[in-house]
Amino acid sequence: MTSALLALALLQQVDSAAVAQIADRLLGPRAGLAGAAIVVWQGDRELLLKAYGTDARGRPLDPDSTLFRTASVAKLFIATAAMQLHAARTVDLDRDIAGYIPDLALPARGWPRVTLRQLLSHTAGVEDSFVGTIELAGGNSTSLATFFRRNVPALGVPPGEQVNYSNLGAALGAYVIERAAQVPFDDYVRAHIFTPLGMTQSTYTEPLPAVLRPRVAGDPALMKYRMIPYPAGSLVTTVRDMGRFVAAQLNGGALGTARILDSASTVAMQARVWSAHPAMPGVALGFFESDLAGERFLFHTGSRGHRSALVLVPRRVLGFYVVLDASEGTAPGIMEELTQELLGASWQTAIDSAAARQSPKEYAGRYRLNAGPVRSFEKLGKLAMGDIVVSHGAHGLRMHRKGPIHLASSGRDLFRTTDGMYVAFHRTADGRIDRMHVSGRLIDGVSLDRVSFLESSALHLGLLGGSFVLAVVLSGGRLVRGLWRRVRNRTHVVSSTWPRRVTRGATALYAVAPLPVLVVGLTASDPTVVELTPAVNGVRGMVMVAALFALGGALAIVLGLGGSRPYRVHDGIFAAVAVVTTVLLAYWRVLPLLG
């Protein structure tokens, strides 16, 4: 630690007893929290190292020996490794990555210039995916080379324009490191980060060696699976080990006599890389930015079985790592409350109602999250998430997401919320608002595109839901009528032309298409992507056949090939339902019709 940082840390020295009291109060027994562990450092002092609760076998958690999944906090080790290689001139953060990984032939796949700096800051625009990124843990793990040669990711948005969290983008950065260092990524991190810092209980290996498995906190069933590609979230470690990493990040890359980064590289890693607005938090290399009462801090969170957060406050030379064995809904509140208590401030701020009323209505509209799948059928997940609506009226500007949130103007195209969030709007060259960016608190920065009413999730969900109900009613009605005639020994002679058969067949297929997923959901205990993928593929197969039937039948009806007039209206309803469903599923990439 430099003399300037040491002097500042001494001026703002945190009382270890006060830190322990805060941790005891927030991490002790409470509903939804089975266990927790925390380590706090300031400068070169370890202020607190403590665990709370018990594991699944009823044993007390131990900060020295209990293993936790860091989940996405593991991405910080990718960034650290990249900074090491950059300092050694082995890689250039601003060089096109295609030169480091020629085996993926990125230019031939239409990739523009993408840099390692963009990958590490989630600004490369790499489209994320979930299907195929979890596998059963038996046998050898899929290597980075094997994974990326089979699954070259796509770019969902142009690089450098916005922040969109991407597991695949971060893992692709790890593959660049692996190729440049000419050693497997996990071996590189073990030799150049874990070993120098004395992180002897840390490993990326999955499945975990048998001797380590009983030491993992939480549900043992989670060890059935592993994440691929592994660098983005597979690190298992102890809280003490993570404390050593926190200390090195606080002290210019050094822990005692050990050093993993030089001071300049540490500063560069923690410096801002991109922000949607100069006055709002952005992203660094591996870290997200936030602030509390005007004080900048860096963080990364993780969620995979365990919920974790690593927070650095550079000006105070203060940092902590906390991991929770807690329910999804409980964890964020605990981690944010802990951050506020340790920094001695609150995100809750008064809002100037006059400023809110002055907000122009040009920002009002519907906005959809860009992160995650964009060009694959997994985009359908955003339909269930819904859009964020920004409205303008007598109340001023509001953002609606699980209730209205007031927005107060804080500069041109920049707004603040009462709970510490920043919202910035992006303008096109001709001055139109086309995008919204949100950051702050312990929430990863996100970008959202503005969408029209005709593209809105609410409209599409209503149309798809209505079409599905009509498909079930129409197909079910025909089935019931047919069975009733058989029971009554009645015949019903109808000219059975092929347009009638294919449109009704399409409608019937759309009606039964969700059944494979429903069966897995009802029969499997807590199904994951591994169990759901075959069912989803079955659904897509039925939907593709239905789409061909629907388009062919509808075209025949338009050309007057649908039979005699008494049946044309009825058949038209079948065709309309099938075509509307086909168009919507193509928009959401369930059908590969839009490229």
Side-chain angles (χ1 to χ4, degrees), residues 14-27 38 40 47-50 52 338 342:
V14 177
D15 178 35
S16 58
V19 169
Q21 289 177 356
I22 292 170
D24 290 347
R25 177 161 45 83
L26 296 179
L27 304 180
I38 185 172
V40 184
L47 301 181
L48 179 67
L49 176 68
K50 192 169 183 180
Y52 304 81
L338 182 66
L342 290 177

Side-chain angles (χ1 to χ4, degrees), residues 26-47:
L26 296 179
L27 304 180
R30 62 191 294 174
L33 181 62
I38 185 172
V39 59
V40 184
W41 279 74
Q42 186 176 39
D44 52 10
R45 292 190 306 142
E46 184 182 78
L47 301 181

Side-chain angles (χ1 to χ4, degrees), residues 308-338:
S308 57
L310 189 152
V311 175
L312 302 179
V313 191
R315 194 176 71 86
R316 301 191 195 185
V317 203
L318 176 70
F320 68 87
Y321 175 74
V322 61
V323 59
L324 311 176
D325 182 8
S327 60
E328 191 74 46
T330 302
I334 294 175
M335 292 190 294
E336 291 196 339
E337 193 174 354
L338 182 66

Side-chain angles (χ1 to χ4, degrees), residues 207-222:
L208 279 175
V211 68
L212 296 180
R213 293 176 197 172
R215 292 169 49 192
V216 179
D219 185 359
L222 290 171

Side-chain angles (χ1 to χ4, degrees), residues 3-4 6 57 80 198 217 297 299 315 368 387 395 422 439 462 477-478 485 500 506 525 578 589 592:
S3 58
L6 178 60
R57 299 168 181 81
T80 303
F297 68 87
F299 74 93
R315 194 176 71 86
R368 180 174 301 145
D387 304 325
H395 49 68
Y422 291 78
S439 66
R478 280 189 54 79
R485 292 189 190 105
R500 180 177 294 117
S525 175
R589 299 299 197 273

